[in-house]
Amino acid sequence: MSTSIAVGYRPSRTLPIVAEIRRQASRRRTQLALGFMVLLPLIILAAFEFGGGSGDDDGNGGGAFSSLVDLATSGGLNFALFCLAVSAGFLLVVVFALFAGDTVASEASWGSLRYLLAIPVPRARLLAVKLIVALGYSFVALFLLAGTGLLVGTLRYGWHPLGSTIAAQIPPGQGVLRLLGILAYLAVILLVVAGLAFLLSVLTDAALGAVGGAVLLWILSSILDQITALGSIRNALPTHYSDAWMGLLSTPVQTEDLAKGAISALVYATVFWGLAFFRFTRKDVTS
Amino acid sequence: MSRFPRVTRRRAVTAAVVLVLLAAATVWAVLPERAAWTAQDLRITVRSGPGGDEPVELDARFLLPRDRSGKVPAVLLAHGFGGTKASVSSDAESLAERGYAVLTWTARGFGKSTGEIHLDSPDYEVKDAQRLLDWLAARPEVQTDATGDPRVGVVGGSYGGALALLLAGQDQRVDAIVPSITWNDLSHAFLPQSASTDATGVFKKGWAGVFFGGSAGGDNPACGRFAADVCATYLSMATTGVPDATSLALLRRSSPATVLDKIKAPTLLIQGAVDTLFPLSEADANAKGIAAAGTPVKVAWFTGGHDGGAGPGNDQDRVKFLTVQWLDHYLQGKGSTPSGDFTFSRVAGFSALDRDLVTNGYSTKAYPGLTGTGAADLALTGSAQPIANPPNGNPAAISALPGLGSRLSSLLSGNVATDVPGQHATFDTAPLTGAIEVAGSPTVRLRAASPTGEAVLFVKLYDLDQNGSPTLSAGLVAPVRLTGLPKDIAAAQPVTVTLPAIVRQLEPGHTLQVVVATSDQGFLTPVAPTTYTVAIDGQLTLPTLVGTAIASPATLWWYALGALIVALLLGLTLLLLVRRARSRRRVTSVTAEYADTPLVVLGLRKAYDDGFVAVEEIGFTVERGQVVGLLGPNGAGKTTTLRVLMGLTKPTAGEIYVFGHRLVPGAQILSRVGALVEGPGFLPHLTGAQNLRAYWEATGRPWADARFEEALEIAGLGTSVHRRTKNYSHGMRQRLAIAQAMLGLPELLVLDEPTDGLDPPQIAEMRRVLQRYATDGRAVLVSSHLLAEVEQTCTHAVVVNKGRIVASGPVDDIVGESPSVAIEVTDVPAATEILSGLGVRSVTPDGASGLIVDMNGTPRAELVASLVRAGVGVDRVVPRRRLEDAFLALVGDNSRGSGDR
């Protein structure tokens, strides 16, 4: 009886990713969030259908999205792009924060975290699996949104080039590539939110605090980014390059800000995740 | 108990560091940047004019680098038409930062300088500048080549650029010049003629008006601050459209074309491709003229100019770099000789980010002029077409909007350009089969017939995309004045028309359209209505130029991103390798002494960061087959002990061994321990059965090892096991949690308050389960604050209070007869006296009528008999047990316990 571990136990096999996916999949908030990603394009479509043609009475000329709104009904690609554009600023931020911020904190608040640690799931492994699955769900949500938008947009408005009021039309084949590029960039830039929410999730037992805190800090950063008086400090804000995906709508593509944004996002996310792992592998779990 | 966080050293240090960082950031942000230069505003009186005796007072500003060693070379920085010394202040400052003494001044006739505008006349503006060279030579800070000869470069745009060229031609003391967007010959610039004839050009009234109207003030309302001769020239040309000899002479005098052969200062010519005032051909003529004299010349084009402005950021950066490189080499001797390569930029597209143009930079080894390095010939189709010249030039076609400083994008995307129906003829090419990179002046052969024998025509080249929407590149048109024309087009001789130089990539599928129009808003056309007939002979010749793309900073950022990703991956791999090596070392250490003992706790102590000590010192052992009860009041430190035992909390001191393995958070030996600590923890949205399954899945162990059915039987939940746990009662959750702890039948079972929430029959059942469980070499550790529970369930007990062991041993030993009894008597003082006389060890009052007596061997019967004999009534005699003693002793001290532990 002097075997050091229980039969069949291997630290590297604890909390398999599939098990964690299943743990999260059965949750109402996961189902709701993913469901809403499918629903949103349908709501937007319905709004365009029933909203009538005279949408200019609010005089929103020159707004950031005005050209995108005009073009949203010009084809499936443009519709998907519109869905992304209206979600990128806030909805996707909340979704990423939700998946990443809720994952550890909710286990802590249910009291199941200590049982996972007592199995024992190595703490770093627990975090890694939770992070991978949370990111996986976030990416799935992102792709669901764009995919549904592309599907219903194409069914309703047809398969047309990706249009833009200021740049040349982009043929559909290349348009899909551009759309994928935008998705990839959004996925990368939102890693900052995921990183921040994940860190807060480790620091607090209140899931709401982690999700809300991450969204709040993101909004704060966006506000600071609007203040031009801050000068070059703004370049260091995590939200500074959050709109750089628009460079992919240009012809030729403007990728300098994409690279800068990706660098900024990776650095921030690494720092946040590093802190989360550092803290969690050392802290006393008291919940 | 303070409501505020305790101030510990760690917190204080952290707070201090954060504060210092914040303060530093604030100071850094708030402090104004200390300029690297000093500036001095002055008024310099110079004498110029043909005789050199007319004084004029110039409003000047002299900048010096703050940190300079010895004398520094100087730069004379001239502003554009209508500007003042303030319009070039940022350029002046950046040049001063780079180590130059910079003298800027407001040219005569502008701003606060006195005098009249003579249009860069050699007798006035240029002489002013020569006197400024004298002034610079006299300054002690300025480096000189000889007495009265300063080391000086002249930099300027437009009006200032022509001054630089004229000054260098007139004064050999100038050592280098960088003229930009300026003219070669004013008579060509304002009276352009694109056809190969000698006829006078077409007056560029739009731009001329912008300039002439730009000078307010002075005594004469018609002339503003213009000198009388300049004013008269403008008035006569604007009226007739044809200059007289005096006017031509004046324009010629103000043109660098006259002095190019005398320029010995190395010249960097920068010209804009979006410039309908001084197009690329002006710089080309300057470059050829200066190079012919053997002087080093370098040319650069950018996407901007009088119409396009300073251009996109990467163009501005390139121009600044070239300027500084030129001055550094020819004034300071720094850097190798700038190569003769030619750089230009081309519109690549639109940026959706800032809604403006994007350009790419290109370079070629040598300046190719306006004819490119190759040519593409495209056939034009279209028959001879009659077009009408509108009376008084109205309505007129629009090509550019002079002086509006409109955005590049609108100029280049063709939003502005329009033609009037009936007033223009079109000649199209077939759609292009491949891309053509045009850089230079396209040419066509034009034939025209006119009933008057004369015609003013405007030839332009449109780029039509697949949808047919036209773009007039940079709004440039080729004005043509033809004379001696026949009345019949068949008799007309072709003339070659050289269109303004453009830089553009023509996309495959696009069509090129040559338009010949009779009117243009920017030019003065014949007043009388006429109908011409025009035809284009044959083909359109496009000069082509393929440059090497200049690497954009985007590429560097992508490399940086790649490097970052590689670094992150490497770091992660390294971290994982280190962790793996470490965890492997940890597993192997087994203390043989305890290898077969389920649990050994040695000198455990836990103090929290805030100073609260939850466990002072606890040590006990759980052997195989034992059911050990950890007994203590709430807050005795039981739960903290179990938390440490489960690896959730790190102990401050002491060690725990489970089967000889030292227990640390996440130690693998925990896989042989099942636990219920601090109440159940389940996923509320799953059923009981799903929760157990999810838990077992998380262990990663084979399903068969779970003994799922046995565990479910212990839980005894019946069909409720298929309900969601959030609807469970407290007791049901408790039973499910015990079942979860028993999954896989771990060799050590640790249960924290297992009977919490259970009803009496369930508690009884639980006792049997636990006792059965401890067979087969397994062991159970139960914590409880209930004496009875421990007494009935456990084989051994450990009593803790305030973080310390009070008693421990087999329950039978502890529960055995105690040497003390509790009695209730009618007369407490009397009883106390009697009992003290019996030789007992102690008598302690317990409530109003109770006494606790430590018998010290005295039989209970004798005690009762003595009391009764003495007349003291005895209501009750209760023998006490050790466990109760221990328990009461500690509860008696402080019935409130010692806080939540």
Side-chain angles (χ1 to χ4, degrees):
Chain A
M1 290 293 281
S2 64
T3 48
S4 62
I5 48 171
V7 180
Y9 171 85
R10 292 261 303 274
S12 57
R13 289 219 189 124
T14 53
L15 193 60
I17 287 185
V18 179
E20 171 63 12
I21 290 177
R22 229 175 278 162
R23 277 172 99 89
Q24 302 296 332
S26 55
R27 296 185 58 186
R28 193 53 58 76
R29 65 118 231 240
T30 310
Q31 294 157 1
L32 281 179
L34 293 182
F36 189 68
M37 292 293 113
V38 175
L39 200 61
L40 181 72
L42 297 173
I43 294 174
I44 294 176
L45 187 77
F48 278 134
E49 289 303 302
F50 298 115
S54 60
D56 284 340
D57 48 358
D58 54 353
N60 61 342
F65 296 127
S66 61
S67 66
L68 290 174
V69 174
D70 298 340
L71 289 164
T73 55
S74 69
L77 283 167
N78 271 104
F79 186 76
L81 182 64
F82 179 76
C83 292
L84 280 179
V86 292
S87 318
F90 190 69
L91 179 67
L92 287 175
V93 173
V94 172
V95 169
F96 270 65
L98 179 69
F99 283 123
D102 186 57
T103 181
V104 178
S106 62
E107 296 272 6
S109 66
W110 294 329
S112 48
L113 180 63
R114 57 177 176 269
Y115 291 102
L116 288 178
L117 293 178
I119 280 175
V121 181
R123 291 189 179 193
R125 179 172 171 83
L126 181 106
L127 274 201
V129 170
K130 289 247 163 221
L131 181 58
I132 289 169
V133 172
L135 287 182
Y137 272 110
S138 304
F139 294 157
V140 165
L142 183 61
F143 280 78
L144 264 186
L145 177 69
T148 316
L150 189 59
L151 186 71
V152 299
T154 305
L155 288 178
R156 175 65 188 83
Y157 301 116
W159 186 243
H160 298 299
L162 187 59
S164 152
T165 48
I166 50 166
Q169 284 200 339
I170 300 159
Q174 237 216 315
V176 173
L177 284 182
R178 299 274 182 104
L179 197 65
L180 285 176
I182 290 172
L183 284 181
Y185 183 71
L186 284 177
V188 170
I189 198 85
L190 287 171
L191 289 183
V192 180
V193 186
L196 186 58
F198 197 69
L199 174 60
L200 292 177
S201 185
V202 164
L203 296 181
T204 174
D205 295 348
L208 189 68
V211 178
V215 174
L216 208 69
L217 287 173
W218 182 264
I219 291 173
L220 176 70
S221 168
S222 303
I223 291 173
L224 288 180
D225 197 35
Q226 305 286 320
I227 301 169
T228 45
L230 288 176
S232 58
I233 297 175
R234 293 191 306 147
N235 291 342
L237 290 172
T239 53
H240 186 67
Y241 297 104
S242 57
D243 285 338
W245 55 268
M246 287 191 182
L248 287 171
L249 298 179
S250 312
T251 310
V253 289
Q254 295 303 297
T255 59
E256 186 176 334
D257 278 1
L258 294 183
K260 285 185 191 168
I263 290 173
S264 152
L266 284 182
V267 168
Y268 270 107
T270 307
V271 168
F272 288 143
W273 286 330
L275 284 175
F277 275 78
F278 182 84
R279 183 80 191 101
F280 190 69
T281 47
R282 280 162 183 77
K283 83 166 192 172
D284 288 345
V285 175
T286 52
S287 57
Chain B
M1 293 296 266
S2 164
R3 286 169 57 196
F4 299 101
R6 272 172 59 100
V7 178
T8 62
R9 173 180 285 190
R10 230 173 99 189
R11 280 181 185 157
V13 168
T14 313
V17 168
V18 168
L19 267 180
V20 166
L21 282 179
L22 273 178
T26 315
V27 167
W28 179 78
V30 167
L31 266 189
E33 229 172 293
R34 189 160 174 267
W37 41 264
T38 54
Q40 186 185 359
D41 284 304
L42 8 100
R43 297 189 69 82
I44 303 174
T45 306
V46 297
R47 290 178 185 281
S48 44
D53 52 2
E54 300 169 28
V56 66
E57 208 177 282
L58 298 175
D59 180 23
R61 184 173 164 86
F62 187 52
L63 295 93
L64 282 166
R66 189 183 291 276
D67 302 316
R68 57 179 188 278
S69 53
K71 300 188 170 199
V72 291
V75 170
L76 211 54
L77 185 60
H79 63 79
F81 195 89
T84 65
K85 63 175 184 179
S87 12
V88 290
S89 59
S90 71
D91 285 343
E93 284 157 15
S94 69
L95 280 172
E97 272 170 27
R98 289 201 61 92
Y100 294 98
V102 182
L103 180 63
T104 68
W105 77 103
T106 305
R108 61 163 60 220
F110 295 104
K112 290 184 183 139
S113 291
T114 60
E116 291 175 325
I117 303 167
H118 291 266
L119 277 190
D120 282 343
S121 161
D123 285 336
Y124 295 93
E125 279 86 353
V126 182
K127 266 196 186 157
D128 292 348
Q130 285 185 284
R131 299 290 82 78
L132 292 178
L133 294 184
D134 298 343
W135 185 89
L136 277 174
R139 292 292 300 199
E141 303 92 344
V142 175
Q143 188 183 344
T144 50
D145 293 322
T147 312
D149 179 5
R151 174 73 59 86
V152 66
V154 188
V155 178
S158 193
Y159 194 62
L163 180 88
L165 286 161
L166 287 160
L167 179 62
Q170 189 161 320
D171 197 319
Q172 298 305 314
R173 289 179 291 173
V174 176
D175 299 292
I177 54 172
V178 185
S180 54
I181 58 169
T182 193
W183 66 87
N184 168 253
D185 187 330
L186 264 191
S187 62
H188 281 170
F190 278 103
L191 295 158
Q193 166 62 290
S194 301
S196 51
T197 73
D198 296 331
T200 314
V202 186
F203 181 56
K204 206 184 268 177
K205 67 169 182 186
W207 271 115
V210 167
F211 276 110
F212 201 75
S215 159
D219 302 328
N220 185 344
C223 294
R225 293 179 73 178
F226 279 96
D229 53 346
V230 176
C231 181
T233 298
Y234 172 76
L235 292 177
S236 98
M237 277 206 306
T239 313
T240 63
V242 182
D244 52 27
T246 330
S247 304
L248 270 182
L250 183 136
L251 292 178
R252 288 286 294 168
R253 215 157 28 109
S254 295
S255 296
T258 54
V259 296
L260 291 181
D261 56 338
K262 299 194 196 97
I263 294 179
K264 293 288 173 263
T267 306
L268 171 65
L269 286 162
I270 295 162
Q271 201 78 354
V274 190
D275 198 327
T276 56
L277 178 62
F278 304 130
L280 295 174
S281 53
E282 297 292 319
D284 186 58
N286 281 336
K288 291 204 166 94
I290 297 170
T295 307
V297 178
K298 183 176 170 120
V299 181
W301 294 348
F302 70 102
T303 307
H306 282 91
D307 293 282
N314 56 342
D315 267 11
Q316 295 183 29
D317 292 346
R318 178 164 56 91
V319 166
K320 264 184 202 153
F321 169 79
L322 290 174
T323 307
V324 165
Q325 185 195 34
W326 199 258
L327 294 178
D328 280 358
H329 177 73
Y330 287 108
L331 296 184
Q332 298 190 339
K334 282 200 289 195
S336 55
T337 313
S339 66
D341 65 343
F342 163 66
T343 56
F344 63 104
S345 70
R346 189 167 64 207
V347 174
F350 295 90
S351 163
L353 284 173
D354 47 13
R355 310 220 155 188
D356 212 341
L357 279 183
V358 177
T359 58
N360 286 342
Y362 298 90
S363 71
T364 60
K365 285 217 157 52
Y367 175 58
L370 300 181
T371 51
T373 52
D377 292 330
L378 299 170
L380 286 166
T381 56
S383 52
Q385 295 159 46
I387 49 174
N389 176 45
N392 273 321
N394 188 39
I398 301 169
S399 54
L401 300 170
L404 280 190
S406 41
R407 289 174 78 111
L408 269 176
S409 51
S410 60
L411 277 162
L412 289 164
S413 62
N415 293 346
V416 174
T418 53
D419 281 299
V420 182
Q423 296 182 18
H424 69 282
T426 58
F427 305 90
D428 292 349
T429 67
L432 302 184
T433 50
I436 303 177
E437 297 178 27
V438 182
S441 295
T443 54
V444 291
R445 288 171 71 75
L446 173 73
R447 284 189 299 129
S450 163
T452 61
E454 269 195 35
V456 170
L457 297 169
F458 302 91
V459 186
K460 14 189 174 178
L461 179 67
Y462 282 99
D463 178 2
L464 271 59
D465 68 11
Q466 283 92 337
N467 301 331
S469 75
T471 301
L472 179 62
S473 189
L476 288 160
V477 301
V480 171
R481 186 191 297 276
L482 298 172
T483 51
L485 295 177
K487 290 191 167 53
D488 182 11
I489 186 74
Q493 290 301 310
V495 288
T496 301
V497 176
T498 306
L499 281 86
I502 54 170
V503 182
R504 189 175 184 84
Q505 167 150 330
L506 304 172
E507 302 293 339
H510 283 209
T511 310
L512 297 183
Q513 186 175 59
V514 174
V515 167
V516 182
T518 54
S519 64
D520 194 288
Q521 217 180 38
F523 294 86
L524 191 65
T525 49
V527 174
T530 331
T531 300
Y532 314 123
T533 309
V534 292
I536 295 281
D537 265 11
Q539 58 196 18
L540 168 71
T541 305
L542 298 168
T544 59
L545 178 64
V546 179
T548 316
I550 300 171
S552 84
T555 329
L556 291 178
W557 285 108
W558 283 108
Y559 281 129
L561 177 62
L564 177 68
I565 290 172
V566 169
L568 288 181
L569 288 179
L570 276 180
L572 193 64
T573 316
L574 201 69
L575 209 65
L576 286 178
L577 287 176
V578 168
R579 281 188 69 90
R580 182 157 298 177
R582 236 187 240 168
S583 67
R584 201 163 281 163
R585 220 173 32 236
R586 196 187 294 159
V587 173
T588 49
S589 62
V590 179
T591 309
E593 202 183 329
Y594 308 126
D596 206 38
T597 312
L599 179 64
V600 178
V601 178
L602 296 174
L604 191 70
R605 176 184 170 86
K606 175 66 186 178
Y608 286 103
D609 283 347
D610 57 3
F612 177 69
V613 181
V615 175
E616 289 282 356
E617 191 183 357
I618 283 183
F620 61 94
T621 304
V622 177
E623 298 285 351
R624 288 186 189 275
Q626 289 183 350
V627 179
V628 176
L630 194 59
L631 178 64
N634 288 328
K638 304 188 299 285
T639 299
T640 302
T641 306
L642 295 191
R643 256 193 220 150
V644 175
L645 174 53
M646 296 326 298
L648 301 175
T649 301
K650 277 192 196 156
T652 312
E655 279 162 2
I656 295 180
Y657 292 92
V658 176
F659 295 107
H661 291 263
R662 198 163 158 244
L663 200 125
V664 290
Q668 296 187 18
I669 195 62
L670 279 171
S671 60
R672 288 165 74 183
V673 181
L676 161 64
V677 182
E678 286 185 278
F682 293 113
L683 311 189
H685 54 281
L686 294 184
T687 66
Q690 283 171 335
N691 256 304
L692 293 190
R693 189 173 278 270
Y695 171 80
W696 193 257
E697 267 185 357
T699 65
R701 292 166 62 185
W703 177 245
D705 291 357
R707 313 287 194 92
F708 192 65
E709 295 307 320
E710 287 171 50
L712 273 189
E713 200 179 318
I714 290 162
L717 289 171
T719 55
S720 293
V721 81
H722 297 301
R723 284 170 54 206
R724 292 181 177 212
T725 49
K726 67 175 159 196
N727 302 323
Y728 276 20
S729 71
H730 187 58
M732 289 163 82
R733 254 181 238 169
Q734 189 75 10
R735 277 179 285 155
L736 190 65
I738 293 168
Q740 176 179 292
M742 287 182 178
L743 274 181
L745 303 183
E747 286 159 83
L748 176 61
L749 187 63
V750 177
L751 301 176
D752 188 10
E753 308 278 359
T755 55
D756 186 23
L758 302 194
D759 49 27
Q762 287 166 339
I763 294 177
E765 170 63 19
M766 193 53 59
R767 277 180 208 136
R768 281 192 292 278
V769 167
L770 292 184
Q771 275 160 2
R772 222 173 25 228
Y773 194 88
T775 55
D776 293 342
R778 290 191 289 257
V780 180
L781 175 64
V782 177
S783 88
S784 178
H785 64 284
L786 297 175
L787 177 63
E789 188 180 306
V790 170
E791 201 179 322
Q792 292 170 32
T793 318
C794 301
T795 58
H796 291 68
V798 178
V799 185
V800 291
N801 186 43
K802 292 187 178 172
R804 284 182 192 281
I805 303 264
V806 180
S808 72
V811 170
D812 291 341
D813 285 6
I814 297 178
V815 173
E817 290 280 297
S818 160
S820 64
V821 291
I823 57 175
E824 274 180 29
V825 290
T826 49
D827 183 354
V828 174
T832 308
E833 196 181 325
I834 293 161
L835 292 174
S836 303
L838 279 177
V840 298
R841 190 175 286 138
S842 70
V843 180
T844 320
D846 181 27
S849 58
L851 283 172
I852 291 169
V853 187
D854 190 338
M855 303 291 284
N856 197 19
T858 313
R860 280 198 288 268
E862 191 186 327
L863 182 142
V864 175
S866 305
L867 288 173
V868 172
R869 266 201 305 274
V872 177
V874 178
D875 287 340
R876 210 153 65 106
V877 178
V878 185
R880 284 164 49 95
R881 291 165 303 178
R882 275 173 218 251
L883 200 50
E884 208 164 354
D885 265 351
F887 209 61
L888 283 182
L890 51 96
V891 172
D893 271 4
N894 181 359
S895 59
R896 287 182 303 162
S898 51
D900 182 15
R901 298 190 178 189

